[in-house]
Amino acid sequence: MSAVPTSLTLGPLRVETPVVLAPMAGITNAAYRRLCAEQGAGLYVSEMITSRGLVEGDETTQKMLVFDELETVRSVQLYGTDPVYIGKAVEILCADHGVAHVDLNFGCPVPKVTRKGGGGALPWKRGLLGEILTAAVAAAAPYDVPVTMKTRKGLDDDHLTYLDAGRIAQETGVAAIALHGRTVQQAYSGEADWDAIARLVDHVDIPVLGNGDIWEAADALRMVEQTGAAGVVVGRGCLGRPWLFRDLAAAFHGEDVATLPTLGEVRTMMRRHAELLSAHMGEERGCKEFRKHVTWYLKGFPAGGEMRHQLALIDSLAALDELLDGLDGDAPFPERELGTPRGRQGAPRKKVVLPEGWLDDTDGRGAHLREDADETTGG
């Protein structure tokens, strides 16, 4: 069993708790990051943006680069397939947006991304991966900004890439590597392979962050003890449960905490979330954006179908308040929900969609892949 870390060091950046919020498309916007940060220390990463979108001044990309006024450490996840674009994008983030940490996405399993050789497909091309990481690290170096990468085990069980990716990350000066213990083919199905995280820890000298199946603070402690990881990356486990970061912060500092909020306390959190979204986006859009979170917040609680339906239609804070008043504030937290998966799961993919002839060559240097400027899925 490994000792439990109490903080995380990424180059010059020190994170008070070794916990990173996983970038999730449509979820980890400035409002949600603020909400989570109010609960406990950690590194709160933005939604994924594309290097090409940033370099070419794409409007959608610009709108996603919004930070909360209290966001002292600006952290952005960048997606890209071209070393030149990645280098330019990293420089823009550091020079123009005051970003203190850049994470590169090589884990996205979405077919429209892997079809173009991006996301979780890219590490198969070891040479190209090295070129991209080298360009990113060189661009960030003058600003003293650490670059990290997130990846998966590989394309499928027959095409694993994570050990090579770890070696290349270390050789190119990457500050840490996060491993989601699933293959691209698995997407979000099945169980995460924590043994793979342990193997990567043994294989490299840079910090390894473990990702996959952290539903409670106790899972995070178990992961670092089992694998020797330097910290954890939490995604779906915090959906509708921002207080998980409070539990995580406490757990990593030796306290045994499992927050079991009443429906009244959850109601307060829902109101705060909608309020922050409204402050960042305007009330109508903020409330519409909040709708997707309702199911996660109310998971397992007594709230009838009609109530849930009405909450999924709100377009103002006043309408939200009226509906929230109708919830039973004394209802206890549904403990049967503890430790259960949240968010998307789905089935494994029949096959990973890749560019023609992708598997024929594991180098890929000089390949000119072109991502869409508005590619916005995480992974």
Side-chain angles (χ1 to χ4, degrees):
M1 299 282 268
S2 299
V4 173
T6 55
S7 63
L8 173 65
T9 301
L10 303 173
L13 184 62
R14 187 172 184 274
V15 184
E16 292 303 321
T17 299
V19 173
V20 180
L21 169 67
M24 290 179 281
I27 306 287
T28 57
N29 50 36
Y32 190 70
R33 299 195 304 271
R34 163 82 179 259
L35 186 72
C36 293
E38 287 177 350
Q39 297 298 308
L43 185 61
Y44 296 98
V45 191
S46 73
E47 296 172 87
M48 184 182 87
I49 63 166
T50 75
S51 53
R52 193 172 142 225
L54 185 57
V55 172
E56 295 181 356
D58 171 66
E59 195 182 339
T60 309
T61 306
Q62 301 287 0
K63 282 184 182 158
M64 289 170 75
L65 265 181
V66 172
F67 300 95
D68 187 83
E69 62 199 356
L70 294 186
E71 208 160 356
T72 48
V73 177
R74 296 182 166 191
S75 170
V76 171
Q77 191 184 60
L78 197 57
Y79 163 80
T81 49
D82 181 314
V84 175
Y85 268 114
I86 286 271
K88 286 180 179 168
V90 169
E91 184 169 9
I92 291 169
L93 289 174
C94 298
D96 301 347
H97 296 278
V99 166
H101 164 244
V102 176
D103 183 51
L104 297 177
N105 179 309
F106 300 108
C108 183
V110 176
K112 69 176 180 177
V113 170
T114 60
R115 179 179 285 115
K116 295 184 176 134
L122 197 137
W124 180 255
K125 303 290 192 193
R126 276 69 163 179
L128 177 59
L129 178 65
E131 285 186 325
I132 288 175
L133 295 177
T134 299
V137 170
Y143 304 92
D144 212 17
V145 169
V147 173
T148 58
M149 69 173 280
K150 184 174 180 208
T151 191
R152 286 175 174 251
K153 285 169 59 182
L155 302 171
D156 53 36
D157 288 338
D158 296 325
H159 301 88
L160 298 176
T161 53
Y162 69 104
L163 294 178
D164 280 347
R167 171 183 56 78
I168 295 163
Q170 183 168 314
E171 287 169 356
T172 52
V174 167
I177 178 169
L179 179 63
H180 183 161
R182 287 179 169 86
T183 61
V184 174
Q185 183 173 30
Q186 276 179 279
Y188 298 93
S189 68
E191 287 187 10
D193 177 5
W194 290 6
D195 290 341
I197 296 166
R199 281 192 290 275
L200 184 56
V201 170
D202 290 341
H203 188 68
V204 297
D205 299 325
I206 58 174
V208 173
L209 304 172
N211 176 222
D213 297 354
I214 295 174
W215 310 112
E216 310 297 337
D219 297 330
L221 291 187
R222 216 174 66 238
M223 179 188 272
V224 296
E225 286 168 351
Q226 275 182 28
T227 64
V232 295
V233 178
V234 178
R236 294 172 295 157
C238 68
L239 294 173
R241 299 168 68 209
W243 59 84
L244 179 59
F245 290 100
R246 191 192 320 163
D247 293 0
L248 287 161
F252 277 107
H253 293 99
E255 300 164 38
D256 182 17
V257 176
T259 303
L260 298 173
T262 62
L263 186 49
E265 291 167 303
V266 171
R267 183 169 64 190
T268 304
M269 188 72 76
M270 292 171 77
R271 179 60 166 78
R272 177 70 180 140
H273 192 170
E275 189 181 286
L276 285 167
L277 283 165
S278 298
H280 274 286
M281 302 176 171
E283 188 170 337
E284 188 178 357
R285 181 160 167 241
C287 287
K288 285 180 175 171
E289 195 62 37
F290 177 72
R291 295 171 181 174
K292 69 177 78 153
H293 296 270
V294 168
T295 309
W296 294 319
Y297 276 115
L298 296 181
K299 193 167 185 267
F301 277 109
E306 182 56 30
M307 166 68 79
R308 291 167 193 261
H309 176 69
Q310 291 300 323
L311 280 165
L313 298 173
I314 58 145
D315 56 7
S316 71
L317 292 173
L320 176 63
D321 288 340
E322 196 175 325
L323 288 165
L324 291 180
D325 281 347
L327 293 171
D328 174 9
D330 297 325
F333 188 84
E335 293 192 33
R336 65 184 177 280
E337 294 295 337
L338 291 172
T340 61
R342 306 174 78 77
R344 55 189 168 177
Q345 289 155 267
R349 308 192 188 287
K350 289 188 174 63
K351 67 177 184 123
V352 180
V353 186
L354 298 167
E356 189 72 35
W358 188 250
L359 296 177
D360 300 347
D361 155 48
T362 59
D363 185 71
R365 268 179 286 215
H368 290 287
L369 305 168
R370 191 169 168 84
E371 79 258 17
D372 292 332
D374 61 350
E375 199 58 75
T376 54
T377 36

